[in-house]
Amino acid sequence: PRDVSTMVLLPLVAERVDVPIIAAGGITDGASMAAAFALGAQGVQMGTLMVSAKESPVHDNWKNAIINAAETDTVFLNRFGKPSLRALRTERTTRLEREDSFGMEELARARDLYFGGDMEAAVALTGQVCGRITSGESVQDILWSTAREFHERIAQLQ
C-alpha cells in the first residue's frame, strides 16, 4: 500500500508482465492516454472522469465536488492498511488521513454518499486528476474527444 505514480508504476509493470495492461491514474484525455500507451499500456481506465460524467448515477454533489476540486484536494488513505485508496478531501477523510489504517465501517454508508449526496457519509474515491476535470461531459463526448486527441497526439509524436 504505497502511492506510486502512474509514470513510474506503468513502465515497471510493462517490463515485468506479458499480459495486456490497462493503465489507471491521472488519465482524463487523449494526451494522457497517449502517454499511458507510450509507457506500455494497451488500454486506459478513466475512473474519476467517468464518475463526473453526466450519465454517472452518483449524486450531483460528488460530481460537482470533482469538477470544483484542485489536484491537491485529495488524500491518500489507509497508507499502512488495506485497502489503501485516494479520496476527495472532506472532514471525514482529513481525519482518516492521520490514522494508520481504518476498517470497512468507514465505507458502510456508501449509498448515502453515492445516491444521497452526503459527502461526509463515506469516502468519495477520487484521483488527483480531479484538478483537470472542469465540467461534467457526456460519456459519448468524453470517448470521442479522447479518441480524437489520442490519435492527434500520436501523429504529432511521429
Side-chain angles (χ1 to χ4, degrees):
R2 299 279 190 240
D3 50 333
V4 179
S5 75
T6 304
M7 294 293 287
V8 174
L9 186 60
L10 185 52
L12 285 172
V13 171
E15 67 187 33
R16 295 180 183 167
V17 302
D18 190 28
V19 296
I21 299 169
I22 307 300
I27 301 163
T28 189
D29 57 16
S32 48
M33 181 177 171
F37 275 60
L39 294 172
Q42 287 77 40
V44 296
Q45 174 193 344
M46 300 185 289
T48 300
L49 183 59
M50 290 301 170
V51 170
S52 72
K54 287 181 182 177
E55 296 89 343
S56 172
V58 304
H59 195 278
D60 283 347
N61 288 354
W62 190 356
K63 292 178 188 184
N64 291 329
I66 290 170
I67 291 165
N68 294 318
E71 68 280 0
T72 54
D73 289 338
T74 66
V75 295
F76 189 68
L77 300 176
N78 231 12
R79 186 175 298 274
F80 303 108
K82 292 182 182 178
S84 55
L85 41 85
R86 186 166 293 282
L88 273 173
R89 181 174 297 283
T90 63
E91 288 180 28
R92 174 186 286 261
T93 61
T94 297
R95 175 181 50 81
L96 292 174
E97 181 182 29
R98 291 175 174 78
E99 297 180 15
D100 288 341
S101 65
F102 62 83
M104 295 305 288
E105 71 278 354
E106 293 293 345
L107 306 175
R109 292 186 47 222
R111 292 180 72 121
D112 294 337
L113 164 66
Y114 280 66
F115 307 115
D118 182 351
M119 296 300 293
E120 295 296 335
V123 174
L125 302 177
T126 303
Q128 291 175 313
V129 76
C130 62
R132 298 193 58 219
I133 299 169
T134 59
S135 63
E137 303 294 328
S138 71
V139 171
Q140 179 177 333
D141 287 346
I142 290 169
L143 295 179
W144 281 111
S145 66
T146 299
R148 186 189 79 261
E149 185 182 3
F150 170 80
H151 290 291
E152 289 170 358
R153 290 297 174 116
I154 294 299
Q156 288 171 354
L157 293 172
Q158 293 174 348

